[in-house]
Amino acid sequence: MGLLSLLSSDPLAFVIIAAALVLSLAFHEFAHAWTADRLGDPTPRRYGRVTLNPIKHLDPFGTLLLLLVGFGFARPVPINPNNLGRWGTMWTAAAGPISNLLIALVCVLLLKFAAASALAATILMTVLSINVVLAVFNLIPIPLLDGSRILGALFPSLGRSLAQFEAQPFSFVIVMVFIYLFGGQINGLISSVRNWVLNFV
C-alpha cells in the first residue's frame, strides 16, 4: 500500500512517514557520497552528491513508486571503483546501511533517555522503524543493493560477476521482478528484524 492512501485517511501520518523516508534516504545516499569522497573518489562531488539536500538524491520514478505502492528508491551515488580500490568500495557500500543504523540508534537513545511528548515519540518510532527497514533491506545481497557490493568486495571473483550483471541493460528490471516474486520472504525477514528492535525499545 502506497503513502497516498494515508493522505486522506491520516494526513499527519502521511507527513511524518513521507518526511522520515525522504530524509532517511537522503542521509543514506549522502553517506555513500561522503565516504567515497573521503576515500579519494571525486566522482560523487563532481555530480553534486556530497550534500544532505534531498532533491539531489531523490529519483522521480522511485519516489512515484513509493507514493503509489509503498516501495521505492533514491538515485544511486555514482562512484569509480578504480579510485577506491577493493576495500574503499566495500566501505562506501557499507556506509549507507551504517548511516541508517546510526539514525536508528539515536532514536533509541532519545526514546530511552529523553522525555518525549506523544507526538515526538511517534515521530522517533517512525524514523527508527524506517531506518531499520532501510538498513536491513540494503544489506540483502541482491545485485544493485549495498549488500551485493559488500559481498563482491569480500569475494572479488563474485564481485566481477555481479558488476557484469549490473552493467546489463535490463539488470534493473530483472532485480525488480526478483524482489516482486520473493517480496513475501524479503518482507518477512525485514519485519522480523524491525519487530525485534521495536519490541526491544
Side-chain angles (χ1 to χ4, degrees):
M1 183 173 62
L3 286 178
L4 285 180
S5 60
L6 283 174
L7 192 54
S8 57
S9 62
D10 194 342
L12 179 59
F14 171 84
V15 170
I16 292 172
I17 295 172
L21 273 169
V22 167
L23 295 176
S24 299
L25 286 170
F27 198 81
H28 178 105
E29 297 303 329
F30 164 76
H32 287 310
W34 181 85
T35 303
D37 186 65
R38 290 299 299 267
L39 292 177
D41 182 13
T43 310
R45 186 170 294 278
R46 190 161 57 241
Y47 283 87
R49 301 298 298 276
V50 188
T51 175
L52 285 169
N53 181 359
I55 296 174
K56 294 289 187 177
H57 300 296
L58 293 182
D59 179 271
F61 180 61
T63 303
L64 180 63
L65 283 179
L66 195 63
L67 292 171
L68 295 178
V69 301
F71 171 79
F73 49 88
R75 286 196 297 137
V77 171
I79 65 167
N80 185 347
N82 294 325
N83 292 329
L84 293 168
R86 176 183 173 186
W87 300 115
T89 301
M90 186 194 76
W91 283 114
T92 298
I98 289 173
S99 73
N100 294 124
L101 291 175
L102 288 175
I103 293 174
L105 178 60
V106 170
C107 290
V108 170
L109 294 175
L110 289 174
L111 285 165
K112 283 291 186 182
F113 301 111
S117 65
L119 177 59
T122 298
I123 293 172
L124 287 171
M125 289 294 285
T126 301
V127 174
L128 169 62
S129 178
I130 285 172
N131 279 277
V132 169
V133 168
L134 287 174
V136 175
F137 176 72
N138 278 283
L139 285 172
I140 298 174
I142 299 174
L144 301 178
L145 297 183
D146 299 326
S148 71
R149 308 287 170 64
I150 297 170
L151 194 64
L154 294 173
F155 303 97
S157 59
L158 177 61
R160 287 190 289 272
S161 298
L162 289 169
Q164 289 174 357
F165 169 78
E166 292 181 4
Q168 301 303 312
F170 297 105
S171 60
F172 174 79
V173 175
I174 294 172
V175 171
M176 289 297 102
V177 170
F178 177 86
I179 291 174
Y180 174 78
L181 292 175
F182 293 93
Q185 291 85 341
I186 294 172
N187 186 60
L189 169 66
I190 295 173
S191 296
S192 296
V193 177
R194 180 189 60 194
N195 291 341
W196 181 87
V197 173
L198 294 180
N199 288 334
F200 170 77
V201 174

